Amino acid sequence: MIKSEEKIIGCTTEYRKLETLFICRPKYMEITEVINETQRHYINGNIDVDLAMEQHETFARTLEKHGAEVIRLEPEHQLNEQVFTRDIGFCIGSRLFLSEMNTHIRGAEVDVLKQSLQDKGISYHRPFLQSIEGGDVMVDGDKIWVGISKRTTREAAETLQLQLGNDYQVIPLPIDDSILHLDCAFNILSPDWALIYPDAFAPADYQKLKENYHLIEVTAAEQFSMGTNVLSIGGGKVISMPQNKDVNEKMRRTGFQVIEVEFSEIIKSGGSFRCCSLPVYRSNS
């Protein structure tokens, strides 16, 4: 049962208890036009869709087991990146923003989300004239970290600041061209802790992040296998891939409960758990 809009829209952090989110099954997942180094690595073998569907369903059941309401968008044949629902929108406080996608084909994914929101009577905002994608937006109270990347422009970050007003500080974070989105190199786990792939950032920006969080560094090998792209679901629980042993052990030593879920087929297209989830409500617990 869908909650009332007053409750369903509300995300003030990346780590409070995850209550409601959108996902989409990878029914038509395929690497066609290579858009990142991960896809380039796996292009010859491409995607085993049956295995990807099985892994995604395990992810969905894990979310439900831990109390989340999972809303499934309907996959469409021509949208082979549709599994990555994080990119098509983002929630800041009580406002849900629809992204402006960098590529035309992915714009149709936003239309699918928009229709679902309209069907459920959920309001949204779409103010952007320049591209901004949800994988580049990281929310932590009144600080909104925005990756400036191939997919998100500085102009869109400025538009977001104007939309949010003085209650929020939008902080641009330019990332290396080899990194698709901010959440492939940085992820906030709690008020005090964050994951980071240091090579993605200029020294001054790395220092800025270090002044705000204790940083758990991710190696180049585990960045490639999406070691930063975990999903925090509340109560110090983090969903992560079993292959990323080093970062999982570091998180456990820091006090986090790591829930390991196999996602090896889906990461072949360059995204993992955070990429495959669009939270629209997190409680304050």
Side-chain angles (χ1 to χ4, degrees):
M1 178 65 69
I2 300 299
K3 306 174 182 70
S4 66
E5 181 176 340
E6 290 72 19
K7 190 173 182 184
I8 197 175
I9 301 298
C11 290
T12 59
T13 72
E14 298 290 329
Y15 46 80
R16 298 296 187 191
K17 187 176 188 317
L18 183 53
E19 298 275 5
T20 308
L21 72 156
F22 285 90
I23 66 171
C24 186
R25 292 174 299 144
K27 185 175 181 179
Y28 303 111
M29 192 176 184
E30 182 183 10
I31 301 173
T32 51
E33 180 183 347
V34 172
I35 60 170
N36 57 54
E37 290 306 310
T38 310
Q39 287 189 351
R40 191 179 311 281
H41 182 80
Y42 289 111
I43 182 64
N44 291 331
N46 220 292
I47 307 294
D48 181 333
V49 172
D50 290 339
L51 180 55
M53 289 276 283
E54 179 183 321
Q55 291 178 349
H56 191 267
E57 183 58 28
T58 299
F59 173 51
R61 290 199 305 267
T62 301
L63 291 165
E64 291 171 335
K65 176 183 174 182
H66 289 274
E69 179 185 20
V70 176
I71 306 172
R72 291 165 168 82
L73 296 174
E74 190 61 33
E76 298 195 2
H77 187 271
Q78 73 278 18
L79 304 179
N80 51 52
E81 298 288 316
Q82 201 177 3
V83 68
F84 299 129
T85 53
R86 176 73 63 157
D87 296 339
I88 60 178
F90 51 92
C91 186
I92 300 176
S94 59
R95 282 173 280 189
L96 176 59
F97 292 93
L98 298 188
S99 299
E100 192 63 36
M101 305 302 288
N102 179 258
T103 56
H104 174 72
I105 184 62
R106 294 206 67 192
E109 296 175 37
V110 182
D111 295 335
V112 174
L113 174 61
K114 182 173 69 173
Q115 186 60 57
S116 180
L117 294 172
Q118 290 173 345
D119 291 345
K120 293 172 172 47
I122 300 171
S123 61
Y124 56 85
H125 303 266
R126 197 175 190 179
F128 303 105
L129 299 177
Q130 302 286 336
S131 63
I132 182 170
E133 298 186 0
D136 279 320
V137 180
M138 199 78 60
V139 181
D140 195 9
D142 61 357
K143 289 187 176 68
I144 313 299
W145 305 93
V146 177
I148 306 304
S149 67
K150 291 179 179 179
R151 299 304 185 90
T152 294
T153 66
R154 194 173 290 273
E155 291 81 2
E158 292 169 356
T159 298
L160 181 60
Q161 180 68 81
L162 290 172
Q163 289 287 314
L164 295 174
N166 295 330
D167 292 337
Y168 294 89
Q169 180 186 8
V170 174
I171 308 168
L173 279 177
I175 58 176
D176 188 83
D177 282 349
S178 65
I179 305 296
L180 189 64
H181 288 125
L182 179 62
D183 61 10
C184 297
F186 174 67
N187 201 339
I188 303 169
L189 303 176
S190 76
D192 302 314
W193 290 93
L195 298 176
I196 193 166
Y197 174 57
D199 291 357
F201 302 96
D205 289 322
Y206 177 88
Q207 184 60 36
K208 187 185 301 181
L209 292 168
K210 192 174 180 180
E211 290 167 2
N212 283 270
Y213 305 99
H214 301 298
L215 297 176
I216 299 173
E217 294 193 357
V218 176
T219 65
E222 291 198 344
Q223 188 280 325
F224 183 78
S225 57
M226 297 290 126
T228 63
N229 203 262
V230 301
L231 180 64
S232 296
I233 60 173
K237 300 173 184 176
V238 180
I239 298 177
S240 182
M241 283 182 53
Q243 288 87 341
N244 293 322
K245 298 180 185 302
D246 183 60
V247 69
N248 289 351
E249 180 57 28
K250 288 177 180 177
M251 287 191 289
R252 287 187 176 108
R253 288 202 305 264
T254 308
F256 294 97
Q257 178 184 341
V258 178
I259 302 165
E260 294 186 348
V261 174
E262 185 58 74
F263 228 45
S264 57
E265 203 63 26
I266 288 170
I267 70 160
K268 289 181 178 180
S269 201
S272 191
F273 302 110
R274 189 179 189 272
C275 291
C276 292
S277 57
L278 172 53
V280 291
Y281 183 70
R282 289 181 182 268
S283 70
N284 290 323
S285 58

